[in-house]
Short mmCIF file of all heavy atoms in Angstrom, two decimals:
data_model
loop_
_atom_site.label_atom_id
_atom_site.label_comp_id
_atom_site.label_asym_id
_atom_site.label_seq_id
_atom_site.Cartn_x
_atom_site.Cartn_y
_atom_site.Cartn_z
N MET X 22 -12.03 17.01 18.02
CA MET X 22 -11.02 16.11 17.51
C MET X 22 -11.56 15.23 16.41
O MET X 22 -10.99 15.11 15.34
CB MET X 22 -10.48 15.25 18.65
CG MET X 22 -9.64 14.08 18.19
SD MET X 22 -8.97 13.18 19.60
CE MET X 22 -9.09 11.50 18.99
N ILE X 23 -12.71 14.61 16.62
CA ILE X 23 -13.29 13.68 15.66
C ILE X 23 -14.38 14.36 14.91
O ILE X 23 -15.22 15.04 15.49
CB ILE X 23 -13.80 12.42 16.37
CG1 ILE X 23 -12.62 11.69 17.05
CG2 ILE X 23 -14.48 11.50 15.39
CD1 ILE X 23 -13.04 10.53 17.88
N THR X 24 -14.42 14.22 13.60
CA THR X 24 -15.41 14.86 12.77
C THR X 24 -16.04 13.82 11.83
O THR X 24 -15.59 12.69 11.74
CB THR X 24 -14.80 15.99 11.92
OG1 THR X 24 -13.81 15.42 11.08
CG2 THR X 24 -14.20 17.07 12.81
N GLN X 25 -17.10 14.25 11.17
CA GLN X 25 -17.72 13.45 10.11
C GLN X 25 -18.01 14.37 8.95
O GLN X 25 -17.99 15.59 9.08
CB GLN X 25 -19.06 12.88 10.59
CG GLN X 25 -18.96 11.68 11.49
CD GLN X 25 -20.34 11.11 11.79
OE1 GLN X 25 -21.28 11.85 12.11
NE2 GLN X 25 -20.46 9.82 11.67
N ASN X 26 -18.21 13.80 7.78
CA ASN X 26 -18.68 14.59 6.68
C ASN X 26 -19.92 13.90 6.10
O ASN X 26 -20.31 12.78 6.49
CB ASN X 26 -17.60 14.83 5.62
CG ASN X 26 -17.13 13.51 4.97
OD1 ASN X 26 -17.94 12.64 4.66
ND2 ASN X 26 -15.82 13.40 4.79
N ALA X 27 -20.54 14.58 5.14
CA ALA X 27 -21.83 14.11 4.60
C ALA X 27 -21.72 12.71 3.98
O ALA X 27 -22.66 11.94 3.97
CB ALA X 27 -22.37 15.08 3.59
N TYR X 28 -20.54 12.38 3.44
CA TYR X 28 -20.38 11.09 2.78
C TYR X 28 -20.16 9.98 3.76
O TYR X 28 -20.59 8.83 3.54
CB TYR X 28 -19.18 11.16 1.82
CG TYR X 28 -19.34 12.18 0.72
CD1 TYR X 28 -18.67 13.39 0.76
CD2 TYR X 28 -20.24 11.98 -0.34
CE1 TYR X 28 -18.82 14.35 -0.21
CE2 TYR X 28 -20.41 12.93 -1.31
CZ TYR X 28 -19.71 14.12 -1.25
OH TYR X 28 -19.89 15.05 -2.22
N LEU X 29 -19.49 10.27 4.85
CA LEU X 29 -19.16 9.24 5.81
C LEU X 29 -20.24 9.06 6.89
O LEU X 29 -20.37 7.96 7.45
CB LEU X 29 -17.83 9.56 6.50
CG LEU X 29 -16.64 9.65 5.54
CD1 LEU X 29 -15.37 10.01 6.32
CD2 LEU X 29 -16.42 8.35 4.79
N ARG X 30 -21.00 10.12 7.18
CA ARG X 30 -21.97 10.07 8.27
C ARG X 30 -22.97 8.92 8.10
O ARG X 30 -23.22 8.21 9.09
CB ARG X 30 -22.71 11.42 8.34
CG ARG X 30 -23.67 11.50 9.52
CD ARG X 30 -24.23 12.92 9.72
NE ARG X 30 -23.20 13.90 9.92
CZ ARG X 30 -22.87 14.87 9.08
NH1 ARG X 30 -23.54 15.03 7.98
NH2 ARG X 30 -21.90 15.70 9.36
N PRO X 31 -23.51 8.68 6.89
CA PRO X 31 -24.48 7.55 6.78
C PRO X 31 -23.86 6.20 7.11
O PRO X 31 -24.57 5.26 7.44
CB PRO X 31 -24.88 7.61 5.30
CG PRO X 31 -24.58 8.97 4.84
CD PRO X 31 -23.37 9.43 5.64
N HIS X 32 -22.53 6.11 7.03
CA HIS X 32 -21.89 4.84 7.31
C HIS X 32 -21.35 4.73 8.73
O HIS X 32 -20.69 3.73 9.11
CB HIS X 32 -20.72 4.63 6.30
CG HIS X 32 -21.18 4.73 4.88
ND1 HIS X 32 -21.94 3.76 4.26
CD2 HIS X 32 -21.00 5.71 3.96
CE1 HIS X 32 -22.18 4.14 3.00
NE2 HIS X 32 -21.64 5.32 2.79
N GLY X 33 -21.53 5.80 9.50
CA GLY X 33 -21.08 5.79 10.88
C GLY X 33 -19.56 5.88 10.99
O GLY X 33 -18.98 5.40 11.96
N ILE X 34 -18.95 6.49 10.01
CA ILE X 34 -17.49 6.60 9.96
C ILE X 34 -17.05 8.00 10.43
O ILE X 34 -17.61 9.00 9.93
CB ILE X 34 -16.94 6.31 8.56
CG1 ILE X 34 -17.28 4.88 8.16
CG2 ILE X 34 -15.41 6.57 8.50
CD1 ILE X 34 -16.96 4.55 6.71
N PHE X 35 -16.10 8.06 11.34
CA PHE X 35 -15.59 9.33 11.83
C PHE X 35 -14.16 9.50 11.32
O PHE X 35 -13.46 8.52 10.98
CB PHE X 35 -15.57 9.32 13.34
CG PHE X 35 -16.94 9.29 13.95
CD1 PHE X 35 -17.60 8.07 14.12
CD2 PHE X 35 -17.58 10.43 14.35
CE1 PHE X 35 -18.86 8.02 14.66
CE2 PHE X 35 -18.85 10.40 14.91
CZ PHE X 35 -19.49 9.18 15.05
N THR X 36 -13.70 10.75 11.23
CA THR X 36 -12.33 11.02 10.78
C THR X 36 -11.62 11.95 11.76
O THR X 36 -12.27 12.70 12.48
CB THR X 36 -12.33 11.68 9.38
OG1 THR X 36 -12.92 12.99 9.49
CG2 THR X 36 -13.09 10.84 8.38
N PHE X 37 -10.32 11.89 11.72
CA PHE X 37 -9.49 12.85 12.46
C PHE X 37 -8.13 12.85 11.80
O PHE X 37 -7.76 11.91 11.08
CB PHE X 37 -9.38 12.52 13.94
CG PHE X 37 -8.83 11.15 14.21
CD1 PHE X 37 -7.47 10.97 14.40
CD2 PHE X 37 -9.67 10.03 14.26
CE1 PHE X 37 -6.94 9.71 14.65
CE2 PHE X 37 -9.15 8.77 14.50
CZ PHE X 37 -7.78 8.62 14.69
N SER X 38 -7.36 13.90 12.07
CA SER X 38 -6.05 14.03 11.43
C SER X 38 -4.93 13.94 12.44
O SER X 38 -5.10 14.33 13.61
CB SER X 38 -5.93 15.39 10.72
OG SER X 38 -6.87 15.47 9.67
N ILE X 39 -3.83 13.41 12.00
CA ILE X 39 -2.59 13.34 12.85
C ILE X 39 -1.45 13.87 12.02
O ILE X 39 -1.54 13.96 10.80
CB ILE X 39 -2.31 11.92 13.34
CG1 ILE X 39 -2.10 10.96 12.13
CG2 ILE X 39 -3.40 11.38 14.25
CD1 ILE X 39 -1.65 9.56 12.53
N PRO X 40 -0.37 14.29 12.64
CA PRO X 40 0.76 14.81 11.86
C PRO X 40 1.44 13.75 11.02
O PRO X 40 1.48 12.56 11.42
CB PRO X 40 1.72 15.35 12.95
CG PRO X 40 1.23 14.86 14.26
CD PRO X 40 -0.13 14.29 14.07
N ALA X 41 1.97 14.15 9.90
CA ALA X 41 2.65 13.21 9.01
C ALA X 41 4.11 13.02 9.44
O ALA X 41 4.73 13.91 10.00
CB ALA X 41 2.60 13.72 7.58
N LEU X 42 4.60 11.86 9.13
CA LEU X 42 6.01 11.49 9.23
C LEU X 42 6.51 11.31 10.67
O LEU X 42 6.26 10.28 11.26
CB LEU X 42 6.89 12.43 8.44
CG LEU X 42 8.32 11.95 8.16
CD1 LEU X 42 8.28 10.61 7.43
CD2 LEU X 42 9.11 12.97 7.40
N ALA X 43 7.19 12.31 11.19
CA ALA X 43 7.77 12.17 12.54
C ALA X 43 8.16 13.54 13.07
O ALA X 43 8.48 14.45 12.30
CB ALA X 43 9.01 11.29 12.48
N SER X 44 8.11 13.64 14.37
CA SER X 44 8.58 14.89 15.03
C SER X 44 8.56 14.63 16.50
O SER X 44 8.75 13.49 16.92
CB SER X 44 7.67 16.05 14.64
OG SER X 44 8.20 17.30 15.10
N ARG X 45 8.36 15.70 17.28
CA ARG X 45 8.30 15.58 18.74
C ARG X 45 7.08 16.31 19.27
O ARG X 45 6.67 17.32 18.73
CB ARG X 45 9.55 16.19 19.39
CG ARG X 45 10.81 15.42 19.07
CD ARG X 45 12.03 16.06 19.74
NE ARG X 45 13.22 15.31 19.40
CZ ARG X 45 13.67 14.24 20.06
NH1 ARG X 45 12.98 13.83 21.13
NH2 ARG X 45 14.75 13.60 19.68
N PHE X 46 6.54 15.78 20.35
CA PHE X 46 5.50 16.48 21.07
C PHE X 46 6.15 17.67 21.80
O PHE X 46 7.38 17.75 21.92
CB PHE X 46 4.79 15.56 22.08
CG PHE X 46 3.97 14.46 21.43
CD1 PHE X 46 4.37 13.15 21.51
CD2 PHE X 46 2.78 14.78 20.75
CE1 PHE X 46 3.63 12.13 20.93
CE2 PHE X 46 2.01 13.78 20.18
CZ PHE X 46 2.44 12.46 20.25
N ASP X 47 5.32 18.55 22.32
CA ASP X 47 5.82 19.74 23.02
C ASP X 47 6.76 19.37 24.17
O ASP X 47 7.67 20.13 24.50
CB ASP X 47 4.68 20.60 23.54
CG ASP X 47 3.91 21.28 22.42
OD1 ASP X 47 4.46 21.38 21.29
OD2 ASP X 47 2.78 21.71 22.65
N ASP X 48 6.51 18.22 24.80
CA ASP X 48 7.37 17.82 25.91
C ASP X 48 8.66 17.11 25.47
O ASP X 48 9.43 16.63 26.29
CB ASP X 48 6.60 16.94 26.90
CG ASP X 48 6.20 15.59 26.28
OD1 ASP X 48 6.55 15.31 25.09
OD2 ASP X 48 5.51 14.79 26.96
N GLY X 49 8.87 17.06 24.16
CA GLY X 49 10.10 16.50 23.61
C GLY X 49 10.00 15.01 23.26
O GLY X 49 10.92 14.46 22.68
N THR X 50 8.88 14.40 23.58
CA THR X 50 8.70 12.98 23.28
C THR X 50 8.62 12.80 21.77
O THR X 50 7.79 13.44 21.12
CB THR X 50 7.41 12.43 23.93
OG1 THR X 50 7.46 12.67 25.31
CG2 THR X 50 7.27 10.95 23.63
N PRO X 51 9.49 11.96 21.18
CA PRO X 51 9.45 11.76 19.73
C PRO X 51 8.23 10.87 19.34
O PRO X 51 7.79 10.03 20.11
CB PRO X 51 10.77 11.07 19.43
CG PRO X 51 11.12 10.35 20.68
CD PRO X 51 10.56 11.19 21.83
N TYR X 52 7.76 11.08 18.12
CA TYR X 52 6.75 10.21 17.55
C TYR X 52 7.06 9.96 16.08
O TYR X 52 7.72 10.77 15.45
CB TYR X 52 5.34 10.79 17.75
CG TYR X 52 5.09 12.08 17.02
CD1 TYR X 52 4.81 12.13 15.65
CD2 TYR X 52 5.11 13.27 17.71
CE1 TYR X 52 4.58 13.31 14.99
CE2 TYR X 52 4.88 14.49 17.08
CZ TYR X 52 4.60 14.51 15.74
OH TYR X 52 4.38 15.69 15.08
N VAL X 53 6.59 8.84 15.60
CA VAL X 53 6.71 8.47 14.19
C VAL X 53 5.35 8.02 13.73
O VAL X 53 4.80 7.04 14.29
CB VAL X 53 7.73 7.34 13.97
CG1 VAL X 53 7.80 6.94 12.48
CG2 VAL X 53 9.10 7.76 14.46
N THR X 54 4.77 8.68 12.74
CA THR X 54 3.46 8.30 12.25
C THR X 54 3.53 7.65 10.87
O THR X 54 2.52 7.08 10.41
CB THR X 54 2.51 9.52 12.18
OG1 THR X 54 3.15 10.52 11.44
CG2 THR X 54 2.16 10.01 13.58
N CYS X 55 4.66 7.73 10.22
CA CYS X 55 4.83 7.08 8.91
C CYS X 55 6.11 6.26 8.95
O CYS X 55 7.11 6.61 8.30
CB CYS X 55 4.93 8.13 7.82
SG CYS X 55 3.54 9.25 7.72
N PRO X 56 6.09 5.13 9.65
CA PRO X 56 7.30 4.36 9.80
C PRO X 56 7.84 3.78 8.49
O PRO X 56 9.04 3.45 8.40
CB PRO X 56 6.92 3.25 10.77
CG PRO X 56 5.45 3.16 10.67
CD PRO X 56 4.97 4.53 10.34
N ALA X 57 7.02 3.66 7.49
CA ALA X 57 7.45 3.09 6.22
C ALA X 57 7.77 4.15 5.17
O ALA X 57 8.04 3.83 4.02
CB ALA X 57 6.42 2.10 5.68
N ALA X 58 7.72 5.40 5.57
CA ALA X 58 7.94 6.49 4.59
C ALA X 58 9.37 6.43 4.04
O ALA X 58 10.31 6.05 4.74
CB ALA X 58 7.68 7.85 5.22
N GLY X 59 9.48 6.83 2.81
CA GLY X 59 10.79 6.90 2.15
C GLY X 59 10.86 8.17 1.33
O GLY X 59 10.67 9.26 1.86
N ILE X 60 10.99 8.02 0.04
CA ILE X 60 11.07 9.15 -0.84
C ILE X 60 9.80 9.99 -0.82
O ILE X 60 9.81 11.20 -1.11
CB ILE X 60 11.42 8.71 -2.28
CG1 ILE X 60 11.78 9.88 -3.16
CG2 ILE X 60 10.27 7.90 -2.86
CD1 ILE X 60 13.07 10.56 -2.75
N CYS X 61 8.68 9.39 -0.47
CA CYS X 61 7.42 10.12 -0.40
C CYS X 61 7.50 11.34 0.53
O CYS X 61 6.85 12.36 0.30
CB CYS X 61 6.29 9.22 0.02
SG CYS X 61 6.43 8.60 1.72
N ALA X 62 8.30 11.24 1.58
CA ALA X 62 8.38 12.33 2.54
C ALA X 62 8.87 13.63 1.92
O ALA X 62 8.50 14.72 2.39
CB ALA X 62 9.30 11.91 3.70
N ALA X 63 9.65 13.53 0.86
CA ALA X 63 10.20 14.73 0.24
C ALA X 63 9.13 15.51 -0.50
O ALA X 63 9.28 16.72 -0.71
CB ALA X 63 11.32 14.35 -0.72
N ALA X 64 8.06 14.85 -0.88
CA ALA X 64 6.99 15.52 -1.67
C ALA X 64 5.64 15.41 -0.93
O ALA X 64 4.62 15.59 -1.56
CB ALA X 64 6.89 14.91 -3.04
N CYS X 65 5.68 15.15 0.33
CA CYS X 65 4.47 14.85 1.07
C CYS X 65 3.58 16.08 1.19
O CYS X 65 3.94 17.09 1.79
CB CYS X 65 4.82 14.34 2.47
SG CYS X 65 3.40 14.03 3.49
N TYR X 66 2.35 15.96 0.70
CA TYR X 66 1.38 17.05 0.78
C TYR X 66 1.00 17.36 2.23
O TYR X 66 0.77 18.51 2.59
CB TYR X 66 0.15 16.63 -0.02
CG TYR X 66 -0.98 17.63 0.06
CD1 TYR X 66 -0.95 18.78 -0.75
CD2 TYR X 66 -2.07 17.46 0.89
CE1 TYR X 66 -1.97 19.69 -0.71
CE2 TYR X 66 -3.10 18.38 0.97
CZ TYR X 66 -3.04 19.50 0.15
OH TYR X 66 -4.07 20.42 0.19
N ALA X 67 0.99 16.35 3.05
CA ALA X 67 0.57 16.51 4.45
C ALA X 67 1.62 17.20 5.31
O ALA X 67 1.44 17.35 6.51
CB ALA X 67 0.20 15.14 5.02
N ARG X 68 2.72 17.57 4.72
CA ARG X 68 3.76 18.27 5.47
C ARG X 68 3.98 19.70 4.95
O ARG X 68 4.98 20.34 5.26
CB ARG X 68 5.08 17.46 5.37
CG ARG X 68 4.93 16.06 5.92
CD ARG X 68 6.22 15.28 5.83
NE ARG X 68 7.24 15.93 6.62
CZ ARG X 68 8.51 16.04 6.23
NH1 ARG X 68 8.90 15.57 5.08
NH2 ARG X 68 9.40 16.60 7.03
N THR X 69 3.04 20.18 4.13
CA THR X 69 3.17 21.49 3.54
C THR X 69 1.91 22.31 3.78
O THR X 69 0.92 21.81 4.31
CB THR X 69 3.44 21.40 2.02
OG1 THR X 69 2.29 20.80 1.43
CG2 THR X 69 4.69 20.59 1.74
N GLY X 70 1.95 23.57 3.33
CA GLY X 70 0.76 24.41 3.35
C GLY X 70 0.14 24.53 4.73
O GLY X 70 0.84 24.64 5.74
N THR X 71 -1.17 24.46 4.77
CA THR X 71 -1.89 24.61 6.04
C THR X 71 -1.53 23.54 7.05
O THR X 71 -1.62 23.76 8.26
CB THR X 71 -3.41 24.61 5.84
OG1 THR X 71 -3.78 23.38 5.20
CG2 THR X 71 -3.87 25.78 4.99
N PHE X 72 -1.10 22.38 6.58
CA PHE X 72 -0.70 21.31 7.50
C PHE X 72 0.50 21.74 8.35
O PHE X 72 0.72 21.20 9.43
CB PHE X 72 -0.37 20.03 6.77
CG PHE X 72 -1.55 19.37 6.13
CD1 PHE X 72 -1.73 19.46 4.76
CD2 PHE X 72 -2.47 18.67 6.87
CE1 PHE X 72 -2.82 18.85 4.14
CE2 PHE X 72 -3.57 18.05 6.28
CZ PHE X 72 -3.75 18.16 4.91
N SER X 73 1.30 22.67 7.87
CA SER X 73 2.48 23.09 8.59
C SER X 73 2.22 24.33 9.47
O SER X 73 3.13 24.76 10.17
CB SER X 73 3.62 23.38 7.62
OG SER X 73 3.29 24.48 6.75
N PHE X 74 1.02 24.88 9.43
CA PHE X 74 0.70 26.00 10.29
C PHE X 74 0.78 25.55 11.76
O PHE X 74 0.33 24.44 12.09
CB PHE X 74 -0.69 26.55 10.03
CG PHE X 74 -0.86 27.26 8.69
CD1 PHE X 74 0.18 27.34 7.79
CD2 PHE X 74 -2.06 27.83 8.37
CE1 PHE X 74 0.03 28.00 6.57
CE2 PHE X 74 -2.21 28.50 7.17
CZ PHE X 74 -1.19 28.59 6.25
N SER X 75 1.29 26.39 12.60
CA SER X 75 1.54 25.97 13.98
C SER X 75 0.27 25.53 14.71
O SER X 75 0.29 24.54 15.44
CB SER X 75 2.25 27.08 14.77
OG SER X 75 1.43 28.25 14.78
N GLN X 76 -0.85 26.25 14.48
CA GLN X 76 -2.09 25.88 15.18
C GLN X 76 -2.61 24.55 14.63
O GLN X 76 -3.16 23.73 15.40
CB GLN X 76 -3.17 26.93 15.00
CG GLN X 76 -2.86 28.25 15.68
CD GLN X 76 -2.31 29.26 14.69
OE1 GLN X 76 -1.70 28.92 13.69
NE2 GLN X 76 -2.54 30.54 14.97
N VAL X 77 -2.47 24.31 13.33
CA VAL X 77 -2.95 23.06 12.75
C VAL X 77 -2.08 21.91 13.23
O VAL X 77 -2.60 20.86 13.64
CB VAL X 77 -2.91 23.16 11.21
CG1 VAL X 77 -3.25 21.82 10.58
CG2 VAL X 77 -3.87 24.23 10.72
N LEU X 78 -0.78 22.11 13.20
CA LEU X 78 0.10 21.04 13.67
C LEU X 78 -0.10 20.73 15.12
O LEU X 78 -0.09 19.55 15.54
CB LEU X 78 1.56 21.47 13.39
CG LEU X 78 2.64 20.40 13.48
CD1 LEU X 78 2.28 19.20 12.63
CD2 LEU X 78 3.97 20.99 13.06
N ALA X 79 -0.33 21.77 15.93
CA ALA X 79 -0.59 21.58 17.38
C ALA X 79 -1.87 20.73 17.55
O ALA X 79 -1.91 19.85 18.38
CB ALA X 79 -0.71 22.90 18.08
N LYS X 80 -2.90 21.03 16.78
CA LYS X 80 -4.15 20.28 16.87
C LYS X 80 -3.91 18.81 16.48
O LYS X 80 -4.40 17.90 17.14
CB LYS X 80 -5.18 20.92 15.96
CG LYS X 80 -6.42 20.10 15.72
CD LYS X 80 -7.40 20.26 16.78
CE LYS X 80 -8.73 19.60 16.36
NZ LYS X 80 -9.61 19.39 17.44
N HIS X 81 -3.19 18.58 15.40
CA HIS X 81 -2.92 17.24 14.97
C HIS X 81 -2.09 16.48 15.99
O HIS X 81 -2.28 15.28 16.22
CB HIS X 81 -2.21 17.23 13.58
CG HIS X 81 -3.13 17.73 12.50
ND1 HIS X 81 -2.68 17.96 11.24
CD2 HIS X 81 -4.47 18.01 12.50
CE1 HIS X 81 -3.70 18.38 10.49
NE2 HIS X 81 -4.77 18.43 11.23
N ARG X 82 -1.16 17.16 16.63
CA ARG X 82 -0.36 16.52 17.68
C ARG X 82 -1.23 16.18 18.89
O ARG X 82 -1.02 15.14 19.51
CB ARG X 82 0.79 17.43 18.09
CG ARG X 82 1.94 17.45 17.10
CD ARG X 82 3.07 18.30 17.55
NE ARG X 82 4.15 18.24 16.56
CZ ARG X 82 4.91 19.26 16.23
NH1 ARG X 82 4.77 20.42 16.82
NH2 ARG X 82 5.87 19.11 15.33
N ARG X 83 -2.18 17.03 19.21
CA ARG X 83 -3.10 16.73 20.35
C ARG X 83 -3.92 15.50 19.98
O ARG X 83 -4.15 14.60 20.83
CB ARG X 83 -4.02 17.91 20.63
CG ARG X 83 -3.35 19.03 21.40
CD ARG X 83 -4.38 19.98 22.00
NE ARG X 83 -5.22 20.60 21.01
CZ ARG X 83 -4.96 21.72 20.32
NH1 ARG X 83 -3.81 22.33 20.54
NH2 ARG X 83 -5.80 22.21 19.48
N ASN X 84 -4.39 15.42 18.72
CA ASN X 84 -5.14 14.23 18.30
C ASN X 84 -4.30 12.97 18.46
O ASN X 84 -4.77 11.95 18.98
CB ASN X 84 -5.55 14.34 16.82
CG ASN X 84 -6.63 15.38 16.59
OD1 ASN X 84 -7.26 15.85 17.52
ND2 ASN X 84 -6.80 15.76 15.34
N LEU X 85 -3.07 13.04 17.98
CA LEU X 85 -2.17 11.87 18.09
C LEU X 85 -1.93 11.49 19.54
O LEU X 85 -1.95 10.32 19.88
CB LEU X 85 -0.84 12.19 17.37
CG LEU X 85 0.19 11.06 17.40
CD1 LEU X 85 -0.34 9.81 16.72
CD2 LEU X 85 1.48 11.54 16.74
N ARG X 86 -1.69 12.50 20.36
CA ARG X 86 -1.43 12.25 21.80
C ARG X 86 -2.62 11.54 22.43
O ARG X 86 -2.47 10.62 23.21
CB ARG X 86 -1.13 13.55 22.51
CG ARG X 86 -0.77 13.40 23.97
CD ARG X 86 0.53 12.68 24.18
NE ARG X 86 1.57 13.63 24.50
CZ ARG X 86 2.80 13.28 24.87
NH1 ARG X 86 3.12 12.01 24.93
NH2 ARG X 86 3.68 14.18 25.13
N ARG X 87 -3.82 11.98 22.09
CA ARG X 87 -5.03 11.40 22.66
C ARG X 87 -5.18 9.94 22.21
O ARG X 87 -5.70 9.10 22.93
CB ARG X 87 -6.25 12.19 22.26
CG ARG X 87 -6.33 13.50 22.98
CD ARG X 87 -7.56 14.30 22.53
NE ARG X 87 -7.60 15.57 23.26
CZ ARG X 87 -7.91 16.73 22.69
NH1 ARG X 87 -8.22 16.80 21.42
NH2 ARG X 87 -7.90 17.82 23.40
N ILE X 88 -4.76 9.63 20.99
CA ILE X 88 -4.82 8.28 20.50
C ILE X 88 -3.81 7.36 21.20
O ILE X 88 -4.12 6.26 21.64
CB ILE X 88 -4.58 8.23 18.97
CG1 ILE X 88 -5.67 8.95 18.25
CG2 ILE X 88 -4.45 6.76 18.49
CD1 ILE X 88 -5.31 9.28 16.83
N LEU X 89 -2.60 7.90 21.31
CA LEU X 89 -1.52 7.13 21.91
C LEU X 89 -1.67 6.97 23.43
O LEU X 89 -1.28 5.98 24.00
CB LEU X 89 -0.16 7.76 21.60
CG LEU X 89 0.22 7.83 20.14
CD1 LEU X 89 1.52 8.60 19.96
CD2 LEU X 89 0.34 6.40 19.55
N ASP X 90 -2.19 8.01 24.05
CA ASP X 90 -2.29 8.06 25.52
C ASP X 90 -3.61 8.71 25.93
O ASP X 90 -3.62 9.94 26.24
CB ASP X 90 -1.11 8.79 26.11
CG ASP X 90 -1.13 8.82 27.61
OD1 ASP X 90 -1.97 8.14 28.20
OD2 ASP X 90 -0.28 9.54 28.18
N PRO X 91 -4.72 8.00 25.89
CA PRO X 91 -6.01 8.59 26.20
C PRO X 91 -6.07 9.25 27.58
O PRO X 91 -6.91 10.11 27.80
CB PRO X 91 -6.99 7.41 26.14
CG PRO X 91 -6.28 6.39 25.31
CD PRO X 91 -4.81 6.58 25.56
N GLU X 92 -5.22 8.86 28.48
CA GLU X 92 -5.23 9.44 29.84
C GLU X 92 -4.46 10.75 29.90
O GLU X 92 -4.51 11.45 30.91
CB GLU X 92 -4.61 8.43 30.82
CG GLU X 92 -5.33 7.08 30.89
CD GLU X 92 -6.76 7.20 31.34
OE1 GLU X 92 -7.02 7.98 32.29
OE2 GLU X 92 -7.63 6.54 30.78
N HIS X 93 -3.74 11.09 28.84
CA HIS X 93 -2.85 12.26 28.86
C HIS X 93 -3.68 13.56 28.92
O HIS X 93 -4.68 13.69 28.28
CB HIS X 93 -1.94 12.29 27.65
CG HIS X 93 -0.91 13.33 27.72
ND1 HIS X 93 0.27 13.16 28.38
CD2 HIS X 93 -0.86 14.60 27.22
CE1 HIS X 93 1.02 14.24 28.28
NE2 HIS X 93 0.36 15.16 27.59
S1 SF4 F 120 3.37 10.68 1.77
FE1 SF4 F 120 4.84 9.57 3.09
S2 SF4 F 120 5.40 11.03 4.69
FE2 SF4 F 120 3.51 11.79 3.72
S3 SF4 F 120 1.82 10.98 4.96
FE3 SF4 F 120 2.17 9.52 3.28
S4 SF4 F 120 3.62 8.02 4.15
FE4 SF4 F 120 3.69 9.83 5.47
#
């Protein structure tokens, strides 16, 4: 879930991805990750290409779920 890259590692910074905008978890629970989004959503890079692949989206949803509910 959490990764580092060569630039961030020396600073002790970790990264992870979550899904953009809003949708639902597999159990139907809705989520909103960009509550202030507006026109940007129509051209959002994070909602296209590999970000929209089912396995990638599933992974990002698992990351989000773990953040929102660590016990889940
Ligand atoms: S461009 Fe808009 S919809 Fe896309 S991640 Fe940023 S705030 Fe969210």
Side-chain angles (χ1 to χ4, degrees):
M22 168 176 141
I23 297 175
T24 60
Q25 281 186 314
N26 63 42
Y28 299 105
L29 299 179
R30 187 172 298 114
H32 304 288
I34 298 172
F35 295 84
T36 66
F37 58 91
S38 297
I39 59 174
L42 195 57
S44 188
R45 292 180 182 274
F46 292 110
D47 290 341
D48 66 2
T50 304
Y52 63 79
V53 177
T54 53
C55 303
I60 192 66
C61 66
C65 177
Y66 177 79
R68 300 180 64 220
T69 63
T71 56
F72 292 105
S73 63
F74 290 3
S75 60
Q76 294 100 331
V77 174
L78 195 50
K80 167 82 171 166
H81 291 173
R82 284 182 177 143
R83 284 196 301 274
N84 289 346
L85 179 61
R86 182 68 102 173
R87 288 177 179 139
I88 295 164
L89 296 175
D90 182 9
E92 302 297 319
H93 189 84

